[in-house]
Amino acid sequence: MGGEAAKWILMTTARTPTNIAVIKYWGKRDETLILPINDSISVTLDPTHLCTTTTVSVSPSFDQDRMWLNGKEISLQGGRFQSCLREIRARAQDVEDKKKGVHIKKEDWQNLRLHIASHNNFPTAAGLASSAAGLACLVFSLAKLMNLKEDNSQLSAIARQGSGSACRSLYGGFVKWDMGKEDNGSDSLAIQLADEKHWDELVIIIAVVSARQKETSSTSGMRDTVESSALIQHRAKEVVPKRIVQMEEAIRNRDFPSFVRLTCTDSNQFHAVCLDTYPPIFYMNDTSHRIISGVEKWNRAEGTPQVAYTFDAGPNAVMIARNRKTAALLLQRLLYNFPPHTDTDLDSYIIGDKSILKDAGIKDMKDVEALTPPPEVKDNIPYAQKSKGDVSYFICTRPGGGPVVLSDETQALLGPLTGLPK
Amino acid sequence: MGGEAAKWILMTTARTPTNIAVIKYWGKRDETLILPINDSISVTLDPTHLCTTTTVSVSPSFDQDRMWLNGKEISLQGGRFQSCLREIRARAQDVEDKKKGVHIKKEDWQNLRLHIASHNNFPTAAGLASSAAGLACLVFSLAKLMNLKEDNSQLSAIARQGSGSACRSLYGGFVKWDMGKEDNGSDSLAIQLADEKHWDELVIIIAVVSARQKETSSTSGMRDTVESSALIQHRAKEVVPKRIVQMEEAIRNRDFPSFVRLTCTDSNQFHAVCLDTYPPIFYMNDTSHRIISGVEKWNRAEGTPQVAYTFDAGPNAVMIARNRKTAALLLQRLLYNFPPHTDTDLDSYIIGDKSILKDAGIKDMKDVEALTPPPEVKDNIPYAQKSKGDVSYFICTRPGGGPVVLSDETQALLGPLTGLPK
């Protein structure tokens, strides 16, 4: 093991995006390896607005593997973390840092301990697939630190064992998680269908919906669905395979109407099988339903779809608008229907890419209060009578790129000399 | 046509119950004849608390068919009314009333006009299958007036053409609507599985839930589901046939745990295929979800099911308790979770069989305010902080009997001399 005084620390920092499934993953055929019962397809979200940053470090002075999430130490003992660490260490290669005079042989990695710090640039508890971005970032950054030869697709099969949907965060743009056929899961991995430049007109607005009830975790929820739903196998075997082919084609051809139809129906069917679970699982609430009704009414009124919606295991809506102009019209509608509490700062109510707000002609709360009902809506509820606070905030973003190494050391989350959170 | 001065009026008054499906009807294979894509099973509700009363009358002095619903004249031009009237007239027999000196020959019925008055003893707009009871009562009372030879099962095939689920209101107790095989619908009719005395311990509590949104009619809703859901055919062909067999057995054996499991899962699956419709249909709202969660939690805590829930095309919950004791405990829980507005009179908040309220030890609003959380609930929300008014009112009832003729003329809804609403 290189270095004389064993005082060196090597570290790598990486940033990984989150993703939103447009053809949903729900149900495992293998709980330990995390092998799904159907393929899924996702859109990677721009890491500028939603991402995980992770710094991984190694030093002979570390006496145990440790991890901090958003500054707070968490346990690495969970089976899923352990699976990822084991799989990566098994593939580690020789690493040399001439500047620091460090040479690590691949067999040394089994005996070297790691410090890991991870941070989400969005609220972890908001139900925005933080575990997907987190596990993907952990695997990606460790792979870079340990000089793995595997490409991102092969790494995705490791990230999958940490959190199923994490495998889709190894690429930007449009990503398919192939369920694979092998019992050992070696072919259950992500492949990029198209990068984020392929369809760069799309704009994404996320409504973070205020939830009253505690939600069922997706791990136990999908287990219950597979065990008790009379519809899930039909979905997995008969419905999803056709939709996967159609969605790949819609993405390839930038066919927005087909993209909307497939995205919306597949989100609805995922929630349908949750409802068909016993006891039933409800992820969407009345606010989610109102968002769907509003989008459907608008799409119908326009004759051709303007916006797709999709909901993961929670009440938050992810809306995908065909272009910036549509996104500005969507944001006007959302603010008209879901105004913030009176004392809310607009700047904290619309976060992410605020230029959409500018396009919508909204500068301050006075502009929100002055919004008139969109043409497809018949009732004009006075602003004062509207129920407020059903949505916590909105995030404006777009499809984005995959994981990247951040070479600027100032972005590291661990101190270069201490190996502890900065 | 008998009678000298043609001044006579003959009339019949009948009362018909409503019913709640425990294996749901959703989807037609023939829109005109109203032929379903699967069998369904229902429980008839006690007409003391929920029923339609209809008076039908005939007189040579009537110059057109007319109908009044809850005192207001409505059109009989709809295809469904016309189907029922045509089918019944075609089967009319000779009628003789010696006292009035009236003799109607069967061929006369084609030229005689009818006056019909109908009244529900519950709010029509509350989404409590008023059309089922109404059409069943129309067909039943006309069949009695016109002296039809058909039995109730054959009459149910006529009522079916007025409103699908109406066919199940021709019997009390537990009723199966056999979907039939014939193209002309002659074998798509109701049969009684067991009368109301077979399982007379059951108690039913209906929560009439306050709805914000206008609902999709079940006619257009089920059409949209059949056209767009990728799951409905699997439900109709693979899932329901097995459940029908199991439900018949559960009813035969008074097997309450199986009855609960089948009732709840089939209600949930019906709402699942609604959600899988495009655009999606939401009948349940957050209050419905909270009712389900409360019942599921209680059932789990007790180890054996205490209460079944089922929801039709609206947010109202129909809960079936295993016996009176359980019903009293259920009512306590419902009042704890869903207190009325402070200014509500308890007497108008719990209607129907009020003896359940007495069993629950609740005499007035003070008793409601003093309710403590049930053992399976961990949080104790102070009464003052609870959201009130999510439920409009509760109806306590039980399984009940089928249609009956009311021979007491004072119960007729039409004047004996005028043939107009009293």
Side-chain angles (χ1 to χ4, degrees):
Chain A
M1 218 174 291
E4 322 123 18
K7 281 294 187 191
W8 54 266
I9 299 180
L10 285 191
M11 61 176 66
T12 301
T13 300
R15 193 186 69 179
T16 300
T18 185
N19 71 79
I20 177 77
V22 289
I23 300 292
K24 299 292 187 191
Y25 153 52
W26 196 253
K28 300 182 181 77
R29 64 181 201 274
D30 185 310
E31 291 275 339
T32 310
L33 290 171
I34 311 191
L35 301 177
I37 58 173
N38 56 251
D39 298 345
S40 54
I41 292 178
S42 60
V43 177
T44 299
L45 303 185
D46 190 339
T48 316
H49 309 122
L50 292 162
C51 72
T52 296
T53 303
T54 299
T55 299
V56 290
S57 64
V58 63
S59 169
S61 66
F62 296 166
D63 58 3
Q64 55 171 321
D65 290 338
R66 295 178 74 183
M67 178 163 179
W68 294 264
L69 175 60
N70 295 324
K72 199 182 149 191
E73 184 155 12
I74 62 167
S75 167
L76 274 171
Q77 293 311 307
R80 293 174 168 206
F81 276 127
Q82 290 297 318
S83 295
C84 288
L85 292 176
R86 187 185 61 241
E87 295 294 319
I88 292 170
R89 278 192 170 108
R91 291 167 177 79
Q93 301 295 328
D94 290 1
V95 170
E96 189 165 12
D97 185 320
K98 286 189 181 158
K99 220 169 81 184
K100 293 191 177 167
V102 177
H103 187 86
I104 306 173
K105 291 202 187 106
K106 58 175 152 182
E107 55 272 22
D108 294 342
W109 285 106
Q110 298 295 338
N111 302 313
L112 283 166
R113 304 278 77 87
L114 304 162
H115 281 190
I116 303 164
S118 197
H119 176 261
N120 299 322
N121 69 347
F122 57 94
T124 304
L128 294 168
S130 56
S131 69
L135 269 297
C137 206
L138 177 73
V139 168
F140 181 79
S141 55
L142 285 173
K144 297 304 156 192
L145 178 72
M146 300 189 191
N147 202 19
L148 265 64
K149 290 172 182 163
E150 278 72 14
D151 64 17
N152 280 18
S153 193
Q154 291 165 310
L155 292 181
S156 79
I158 301 174
R160 190 203 73 227
Q161 298 175 56
S163 170
S165 55
C167 74
R168 295 184 313 238
S169 275
L170 266 299
Y171 289 107
F174 301 84
V175 183
K176 174 178 164 181
W177 175 8
D178 192 321
M179 64 181 283
K181 288 174 187 164
E182 301 296 334
D183 285 342
N184 68 4
S186 58
D187 58 348
S188 185
L189 38 74
I191 49 173
Q192 188 177 49
L193 298 175
D195 70 17
E196 63 275 18
K197 292 182 204 82
H198 168 70
W199 199 350
D200 62 359
E201 281 189 299
L202 301 180
V203 176
I204 297 172
I205 299 181
I206 302 169
V208 178
V209 170
S210 316
R212 268 200 270 177
Q213 282 191 303
K214 203 191 157 220
E215 284 148 27
T216 310
S217 83
S218 54
T219 300
S220 70
M222 66 176 79
R223 192 188 303 127
D224 291 348
T225 301
V226 170
E227 279 173 10
S228 67
S229 166
L231 302 175
I232 183 69
Q233 293 301 335
H234 183 75
R235 162 173 166 74
K237 292 190 179 118
E238 305 295 329
V239 182
V240 175
K242 293 187 190 94
R243 287 184 179 170
I244 289 282
V245 173
Q246 292 167 2
M247 182 60 95
E248 289 191 55
E249 200 183 329
I251 291 169
R252 193 163 48 242
N253 300 330
R254 291 181 286 263
D255 171 358
F256 193 72
S258 297
F259 179 81
V260 171
R261 182 178 48 80
L262 291 162
T263 299
C264 298
T265 54
D266 205 66
S267 173
N268 294 333
Q269 187 170 90
F270 152 50
H271 293 277
V273 297
C274 287
L275 189 44
D276 189 53
T277 302
Y278 196 68
I281 306 166
F282 313 110
Y283 286 124
M284 296 198 291
N285 64 19
D286 285 350
T287 305
S288 316
H289 292 175
R290 282 177 58 211
I291 291 173
I292 290 179
S293 298
V295 169
E296 290 289 357
K297 194 179 274 185
W298 186 26
N299 282 346
R300 263 197 317 285
E302 294 288 336
T304 180
Q306 304 300 305
V307 174
Y309 55 81
T310 186
F311 295 73
D312 270 354
N316 300 335
V318 177
M319 289 160 276
I320 308 176
R322 64 186 314 151
N323 54 36
R324 280 187 67 91
K325 194 180 152 198
T326 306
L329 294 170
L330 173 62
L331 192 56
Q332 287 174 347
R333 283 164 168 81
L334 291 169
L335 286 169
Y336 174 79
N337 286 314
F338 303 98
H341 282 301
T342 318
D343 54 353
T344 305
D345 178 14
L346 191 61
D347 207 50
S348 63
Y349 196 60
I350 310 288
I351 64 174
D353 178 4
K354 288 173 199 276
S355 70
I356 306 288
L357 195 60
K358 207 174 155 188
D359 285 8
I362 294 167
K363 290 182 297 297
D364 52 33
M365 280 301 295
K366 271 187 207 155
D367 295 329
V368 173
E369 289 168 31
L371 283 168
T372 52
E376 72 273 13
V377 170
K378 279 178 198 92
D379 52 340
N380 187 357
I381 303 165
Y383 183 79
Q385 284 170 30
K386 283 185 190 170
S387 80
K388 302 177 182 82
D390 291 340
V391 169
S392 299
Y393 55 92
F394 293 99
I395 307 170
C396 297
T397 183
R398 61 186 163 253
V404 287
V405 171
L406 303 178
S407 46
D408 175 0
E409 281 182 18
T410 63
Q411 293 186 280
L413 302 174
L414 295 170
L417 300 175
T418 62
L420 294 170
K422 282 181 180 173
Chain B
M1 219 174 291
E4 321 123 19
K7 280 293 184 192
W8 53 266
I9 299 181
L10 285 191
M11 60 175 68
T12 301
T13 300
R15 193 186 68 179
T16 300
T18 186
N19 72 79
I20 177 76
V22 289
I23 300 290
K24 299 293 187 191
Y25 152 53
W26 196 252
K28 299 182 181 79
R29 64 180 200 275
D30 185 309
E31 291 275 339
T32 310
L33 291 170
I34 311 194
L35 301 177
I37 58 172
N38 56 252
D39 296 346
S40 54
I41 292 178
S42 60
V43 179
T44 299
L45 304 185
D46 190 340
T48 316
H49 309 123
L50 292 162
C51 73
T52 296
T53 303
T54 300
T55 298
V56 290
S57 65
V58 64
S59 169
S61 66
F62 296 165
D63 57 3
Q64 55 171 319
D65 291 337
R66 295 178 72 183
M67 179 164 180
W68 294 265
L69 175 62
N70 296 323
K72 199 181 150 193
E73 184 156 13
I74 62 167
S75 167
L76 275 170
Q77 293 312 307
R80 292 175 168 206
F81 277 125
Q82 290 298 318
S83 295
C84 288
L85 293 176
R86 186 186 60 241
E87 294 294 319
I88 291 171
R89 279 192 168 109
R91 290 166 177 80
Q93 301 295 328
D94 290 1
V95 170
E96 190 164 13
D97 185 320
K98 285 187 181 157
K99 220 170 79 184
K100 294 191 177 168
V102 177
H103 186 86
I104 306 173
K105 292 203 186 104
K106 59 174 153 183
E107 56 271 23
D108 294 342
W109 286 106
Q110 298 295 338
N111 302 312
L112 283 166
R113 302 279 78 88
L114 304 162
H115 280 190
I116 302 164
S118 196
H119 175 260
N120 300 321
N121 70 346
F122 57 95
T124 305
L128 294 169
S130 56
S131 69
L135 269 298
C137 206
L138 177 74
V139 168
F140 182 78
S141 54
L142 285 173
K144 297 304 156 192
L145 179 72
M146 300 188 191
N147 202 19
L148 266 64
K149 292 173 180 164
E150 280 72 13
D151 64 16
N152 280 18
S153 193
Q154 292 165 309
L155 292 182
S156 78
I158 302 174
R160 189 202 73 227
Q161 297 175 57
S163 170
S165 55
C167 74
R168 295 185 313 238
S169 275
L170 266 300
Y171 288 107
F174 301 83
V175 184
K176 175 178 163 181
W177 175 8
D178 192 322
M179 63 181 284
K181 287 174 187 165
E182 301 297 332
D183 285 342
N184 68 5
S186 58
D187 59 348
S188 184
L189 39 74
I191 50 173
Q192 189 179 47
L193 299 175
D195 70 17
E196 64 277 17
K197 292 182 203 82
H198 167 71
W199 199 351
D200 63 358
E201 283 189 296
L202 301 180
V203 176
I204 297 171
I205 300 182
I206 302 169
V208 178
V209 170
S210 315
R212 269 201 269 176
Q213 280 192 305
K214 202 188 158 223
E215 283 147 26
T216 310
S217 83
S218 55
T219 299
S220 70
M222 66 177 80
R223 190 188 304 129
D224 291 348
T225 301
V226 170
E227 279 173 10
S228 67
S229 166
L231 302 175
I232 183 69
Q233 293 300 337
H234 183 74
R235 162 174 166 74
K237 293 191 177 116
E238 304 294 331
V239 182
V240 175
K242 293 187 189 92
R243 288 185 179 169
I244 289 283
V245 173
Q246 292 168 2
M247 182 59 95
E248 288 191 55
E249 200 183 329
I251 291 169
R252 192 163 48 242
N253 301 329
R254 291 181 286 263
D255 172 357
F256 192 72
S258 297
F259 179 81
V260 171
R261 184 178 46 80
L262 290 162
T263 299
C264 298
T265 53
D266 206 65
S267 172
N268 294 333
Q269 187 170 90
F270 151 50
H271 292 277
V273 297
C274 287
L275 189 44
D276 189 54
T277 302
Y278 196 68
I281 305 166
F282 313 111
Y283 286 124
M284 298 198 289
N285 64 20
D286 285 350
T287 305
S288 316
H289 292 175
R290 281 177 59 211
I291 291 173
I292 290 180
S293 298
V295 169
E296 290 288 357
K297 195 179 273 184
W298 186 28
N299 281 347
R300 262 198 315 285
E302 294 287 335
T304 180
Q306 304 300 306
V307 175
Y309 55 81
T310 186
F311 295 73
D312 269 354
N316 300 336
V318 178
M319 288 159 278
I320 307 176
R322 62 185 314 149
N323 55 36
R324 279 188 68 90
K325 196 180 149 197
T326 306
L329 294 170
L330 172 62
L331 192 56
Q332 287 175 346
R333 283 166 166 80
L334 291 168
L335 286 169
Y336 174 79
N337 285 315
F338 303 98
H341 281 301
T342 318
D343 54 352
T344 306
D345 178 14
L346 190 60
D347 208 51
S348 62
Y349 196 58
I350 311 287
I351 64 174
D353 178 3
K354 289 174 199 274
S355 70
I356 306 289
L357 196 61
K358 207 175 155 189
D359 286 8
I362 293 166
K363 290 183 296 295
D364 52 32
M365 279 302 295
K366 271 186 206 153
D367 295 328
V368 174
E369 289 168 30
L371 283 168
T372 53
E376 72 274 11
V377 169
K378 278 175 199 96
D379 52 340
N380 187 357
I381 302 164
Y383 183 80
Q385 286 169 31
K386 283 183 189 170
S387 80
K388 303 178 181 79
D390 291 341
V391 170
S392 300
Y393 56 93
F394 293 99
I395 306 170
C396 296
T397 184
R398 58 184 166 257
V404 288
V405 170
L406 303 179
S407 47
D408 175 1
E409 281 184 17
T410 64
Q411 294 187 281
L413 302 173
L414 295 170
L417 300 175
T418 60
L420 294 170
K422 282 182 179 172

